[in-house]
Amino acid sequence: MLVASDLDRTLIYSAAALGLTMPDAEAPRLLCVEVYDSKPLSYVTETAAGLLDELGRTAVFVPTTTRTREQYGRIHLPGPAPEFAICANGGHLLVDGVSDPDWTARVARRLADECASLAEVRAHLVRTADPAWLLKERVAEDLFAYLVVERSRLPEGWVKELAAWAEGRGWTVSLQGRKIYAVPKPLTKSAAVREVARRVGAEEILAAGDSLLDADLLLAADRSWRPGHGELAETGFVAPGLTVLPHRGVAAGEEILRAFLAAGER
């Protein structure tokens, strides 16, 4: 059994995303799993930490994230170090922490053959974005681009217009929180997960995620789960084999892990 899961707001949570609604005295104990600039950044509950450890010992657990390799390297999940991890939305397949050169080359060929260049898309983003609401512009791993915006000032219809422009060039556009992602269509988490499944001979793929960039992963899995928060919840996303959890925030991370482990016991 292969378990591929998104990380941010699926298994790990920033302080702002914890979603704790109970009295302080009843709040779960938290374990920090990421430090950035000498400050704690991401957490799991202590219960989730134990579940992660068990999952890592009983299944092929593959962290599957849009984070860059550097950003992923800051995370220290409980349990055995995963043999495989997927970064940059499928652009990098890590094997024992090292990017697999054959996979990287395959991705590069597909991007060159099937969609417009990153340079063209980035230039359009920078040219059309308004400094009145643009906070940052970034490129991730020389594979895709994103903008950090002041969402309250973002003009209505701007993202839709950008998506229409990108569609004809083989790119997708999604608004997630304060970030607008422009990602090549061939750059998907599901493609990288299928490659890992082929290598390990997995008979079943389980998956979880909360964002629009996780949709292809959930569609490709035999069984999948999404929490009650995130862009997929906001859009009412459904798929064959998908279980929609009512839980929100860090509690959803625990329930997803319980679901993975229960599936492995059947």
Side-chain angles (χ1 to χ4, degrees):
M1 185 178 73
L2 186 153
V3 176
S5 181
D6 176 50
L7 295 177
D8 293 280
R9 297 202 309 163
T10 299
L11 294 187
I12 70 174
Y13 291 81
S14 67
L18 287 172
L20 299 176
T21 57
M22 71 283 290
D24 291 349
E26 299 174 15
R29 289 167 59 91
L30 299 173
L31 174 69
C32 178
V33 294
E34 179 186 15
V35 174
Y36 182 56
D37 281 345
S38 301
K39 298 177 181 178
L41 188 61
S42 298
Y43 304 85
V44 298
T45 66
E46 286 191 347
T47 297
L51 297 171
L52 269 167
D53 181 74
E54 183 179 352
L55 182 67
R57 298 180 190 282
T58 57
V60 179
F61 171 54
V62 184
T64 306
T65 180
T66 302
R67 285 179 175 233
T68 65
R69 288 170 290 172
E70 179 182 1
Q71 292 167 338
Y72 171 70
R74 300 197 303 252
I75 300 172
H76 300 283
L77 296 173
E83 179 181 1
F84 298 98
I86 293 164
C87 295
N89 213 61
H92 285 280
L93 171 55
L94 305 188
V95 183
D96 293 325
V98 179
S99 187
D100 182 279
D102 291 336
W103 178 253
T104 303
R106 284 168 59 182
V107 169
R109 286 194 296 269
R110 286 199 65 190
L111 298 188
D113 292 343
E114 300 178 26
C115 52
S117 69
L118 172 62
E120 178 185 348
V121 173
R122 182 185 186 188
H124 182 82
L125 287 173
V126 173
R127 184 172 61 252
T128 57
D130 189 333
W133 46 261
L134 177 63
L135 302 178
K136 297 177 185 177
E137 177 265 333
R138 294 287 186 269
V139 167
E141 299 272 22
D142 290 324
L143 290 169
F144 63 91
Y146 64 92
L147 307 178
V148 182
V149 302
E150 185 66 54
R151 189 159 175 170
S152 63
R153 297 184 177 182
L154 187 66
E156 184 177 355
W158 190 85
V159 174
K160 185 176 291 187
E161 292 175 7
L162 176 63
W165 178 89
E167 172 69 25
R169 290 161 177 81
W171 286 63
T172 64
V173 170
S174 59
L175 173 62
Q176 304 185 47
R178 296 193 307 151
K179 293 182 179 179
I180 300 171
Y181 287 92
V183 179
K185 288 183 180 180
L187 191 67
T188 63
K189 294 180 177 182
S190 59
V193 167
R194 281 193 289 266
E195 173 63 14
V196 177
R198 184 191 67 80
R199 294 188 187 190
V200 302
E203 297 179 355
E204 185 177 29
I205 297 175
L206 310 182
D210 73 290
S211 79
L212 296 173
L213 290 173
D214 295 317
D216 70 285
L217 174 63
L218 304 187
L219 285 165
D222 297 292
R223 284 184 284 173
S224 59
W225 292 262
R226 70 163 171 83
H229 63 255
E231 292 78 22
L232 293 181
E234 292 171 3
T235 58
F237 175 83
V238 294
L242 172 68
T243 297
V244 177
L245 297 172
H247 307 80
R248 300 171 60 88
V250 72
E254 286 188 12
E255 292 306 310
I256 288 168
L257 290 166
R258 289 191 181 98
F260 285 152
L261 289 167
E265 294 172 355
R266 294 176 184 174

